[in-house]
Amino acid sequence: MRYLLGTAAALAVAGPACAQDLEVRPLAEVRLRNEHVEQDGLPREADAVTARIRTGVEIASGRWSATVQGQGTLALVDHYDDGLHGPADRPQVSDPQNIGLYVAQLQYRTTGAVLTAGRQKIALEDERFVGNAGIRDNAQTYDAVRAQLSPVAGLRLDISYAWSVRTIWGIDGRGARQQAIGGDNVFANLSYATPIGTFSGFAYLVDQDEAAVQGYRLSSRTYGARLSGSRAFSPAVKLDYVASYARQWDHHRNPNDYHADYWLADATLDVRGWKLNAGYEVLGAGDGTPFTSFQTPLGSNFKFQGWTDKFLTTPANGIRDLYFGAGYGVKQVGPLTGVAFQAVWHRLDSDRLNQHYGNEVDLLASAKLRKTLVSLRYAHYDAREFATDTDKYWIQLDWTY
């Protein structure tokens, strides 16, 4: 209700500007996906064939724009546990059927500033800490106000206040998997571009102010710094690199008293379309009590620690992820554009007690045919001391108007 009232008030203020030179742009997206999962310990496999449609409109006039977009997800084949309805004898695929409001925002743009109010997508840097969870059909959005300011060349301030997180669970969300999680969330990122890369400092205050969501144990304060940059050795050879450190503490009603550290070092060498990647990421442990390790409840966590989703919540003993990847891409092959192949191997260990959780291999092939992106994925998790062996297969079509 608060975001609707705020957006309505802002529209009233913007009324004179919006009365002339309106530009109307329809929005439409369609996704069709088949996700198949085989998981040791469960008697049956999962088959999830889902269709997601998003449609809406963007209306712009001068520096003002208003965007409204709804979405619906339909399970064409529902032989899977969607996280809310079961059946519990099949693996989980977190795409429940849903219909709802995806985006409803008002935006003002001027030189050096973008101000956004309402339900919106927020994806900061690599989405490790705050993201949209775009892999899921019902992606994550925020009821928030956001200011993106660039007062001088190279300097950028991005600050948001979000009072509700609209989760991937949709209209049937309940208990620990609610439709929306209220709280006073603040995301602040200050960055400056230099010749060696972009330095940024960040502060993320995550307030999961719902007792049913792990008893407030996912509320945290995270402060850190990051450097990301690239260096070209020749027109055909480039090195991209990222280094980051953060420390996290308990926040607001969190009953735990803890702190945990985060580290990331990542490098990618790009040589004539071939990419070689290596990295090491640590989500540190506290004292070994559940939810005293470094947590990222608002991140797009599918992108990290492998695609089988074994580590969406950081285990009590933390995670150390050593990974190597390789890929190749070409601009066009016949009618296909943006053809890309990728392979990544992860060794996943604990941050304390010297546990080897397991290894994972992830494979991706993708290409675009006109307005449709075709993606084929495969992931295999080889369990050692955490979870169970799992294989996942995806066939996905994404069409955007």
Side-chain angles (χ1 to χ4, degrees), residues 184-234:
D184 296 316
N185 301 277
V186 178
F187 316 133
N189 187 298
L190 180 65
S191 63
Y192 185 68
T194 74
I196 65 170
T198 299
F199 286 93
S200 61
F202 52 84
Y204 302 134
L205 278 61
V206 174
D207 184 14
Q208 302 269 280
D209 198 17
E210 302 283 352
V213 182
Q214 308 300 345
Y216 311 112
R217 288 175 175 83
L218 292 176
S219 295
S220 63
R221 295 172 291 134
T222 301
Y223 304 95
R226 173 185 171 94
L227 168 67
S228 62
S230 63
R231 180 177 179 183
F233 299 101
S234 74

Side-chain angles (χ1 to χ4, degrees), residues 24-37:
V24 180
R25 184 169 72 95
L27 304 173
E29 303 173 33
V30 178
R31 170 184 287 176
L32 180 64
R33 178 163 65 206
N34 177 18
E35 184 169 342
H36 175 83
V37 187

Side-chain angles (χ1 to χ4, degrees), residues 38-52:
E38 301 169 9
Q39 181 174 318
D40 280 8
L42 293 176
R44 297 200 289 175
E45 301 171 354
D47 282 294
V49 180
T50 58
R52 185 197 69 197

Side-chain angles (χ1 to χ4, degrees), residues 3-20 64-66 105-108 117:
Y3 94 86
L4 286 173
L5 291 174
T7 303
L11 281 170
V13 172
C18 293
Q20 47 187 295
W64 292 91
S65 67
Q105 70 177 40
L106 181 72
Q107 190 171 86
Y108 177 78

Side-chain angles (χ1 to χ4, degrees), residues 236 268-276 326-329:
T268 301
L269 182 65
D270 189 335
V271 182
R272 298 185 183 278
W274 290 94
K275 292 187 178 182
L276 299 176
Y328 181 71

Side-chain angles (χ1 to χ4, degrees), residues 1-4 117-118 143-145 161-165 181-185:
M1 178 60 70
R2 278 188 289 175
Y3 94 86
L4 286 173
D143 292 346
V145 289
Y161 166 69
W163 56 87
S164 180
V165 179
I181 302 173
D184 296 316
N185 301 277

Side-chain angles (χ1 to χ4, degrees), residues 15-160:
C18 293
Q20 47 187 295
D21 300 326
L22 289 178
E23 298 180 12
V24 180
R25 184 169 72 95
L27 304 173
E29 303 173 33
V30 178
R31 170 184 287 176
L32 180 64
R33 178 163 65 206
N34 177 18
E35 184 169 342
H36 175 83
V37 187
E38 301 169 9
Q39 181 174 318
D40 280 8
L42 293 176
R44 297 200 289 175
E45 301 171 354
D47 282 294
V49 180
T50 58
R52 185 197 69 197
I53 298 176
R54 289 181 184 152
T55 184
V57 64
E58 178 185 87
I59 303 174
S61 177
R63 295 175 177 177
W64 292 91
S65 67
T67 304
V68 177
Q69 193 173 18
Q71 71 176 6
T73 299
L74 177 65
L76 304 177
V77 176
D78 62 353
H79 301 160
Y80 66 102
D81 176 5
D82 66 11
L84 299 173
H85 306 101
D89 61 347
R90 295 185 187 269
Q92 181 176 311
V93 177
S94 303
D95 288 324
Q97 295 193 116
N98 180 53
I99 187 168
L101 185 62
Y102 181 58
V103 171
Q105 70 177 40
L106 181 72
Q107 190 171 86
Y108 177 78
R109 286 181 174 270
T110 187
T111 303
V114 180
L115 308 177
T116 310
R119 186 164 299 174
Q120 58 190 282
K121 295 183 285 186
I122 301 178
L124 301 179
E125 296 183 322
D126 61 357
E127 301 188 58
R128 191 11 142 179
F129 303 113
V130 179
N132 179 236
I135 189 66
R136 300 274 52 108
D137 285 342
N138 307 314
Q140 181 170 269
T141 56
Y142 303 81
D143 292 346
V145 289
R146 181 183 186 186
Q148 297 164 270
L149 309 174
S150 301
V152 297
L155 183 66
R156 185 171 182 268
L157 173 64
D158 190 331
I159 185 166
S160 303

